Amino acid sequence: MMPQLPGLSMLERWALGILVRSRRTGLVVVKPYGRGEMIVAADQTDPIAAYVTNGPDEPASMTLERIFHQPSYGEGE
């Protein structure tokens, strides 16, 4: 299961596999500590996840901050 994820243990790869397959998860971003690459899995039907993967070129920190400030499910603007 997911052998192409360097820097993650078998348990972490297993947990990531569960999150990616869940219908309740729209975006999963993993950056192993001490490594330069990030692993992104996104549901393209989720507008925020689609924006992260296909949106304008900007630093990842700005994109993650924008997601952080989005209202939660069921929460008003």
Side-chain angles (χ1 to χ4, degrees):
M1 170 188 276
M2 294 191 203
Q4 305 300 327
L5 299 175
L8 298 180
S9 71
M10 184 168 49
L11 179 61
E12 291 163 338
R13 290 192 308 263
W14 178 75
L16 182 57
I18 290 172
L19 284 172
V20 168
R21 284 194 224 66
S22 173
R23 284 186 259 154
R24 296 175 186 245
T25 305
L27 177 69
V28 177
V29 179
V30 176
K31 184 199 166 293
Y33 183 79
R35 300 186 67 93
E37 68 272 1
M38 287 188 348
I39 301 149
V40 179
D43 179 356
Q44 294 301 308
T45 61
D46 181 354
I48 301 300
Y51 176 80
V52 170
T53 57
N54 302 324
D57 292 331
E58 63 183 9
S61 61
M62 294 297 292
T63 302
L64 294 174
E65 184 174 347
R66 190 180 320 282
I67 293 169
F68 179 76
H69 290 289
Q70 289 289 323
S72 298
Y73 177 77
E75 183 178 63
E77 293 279 334

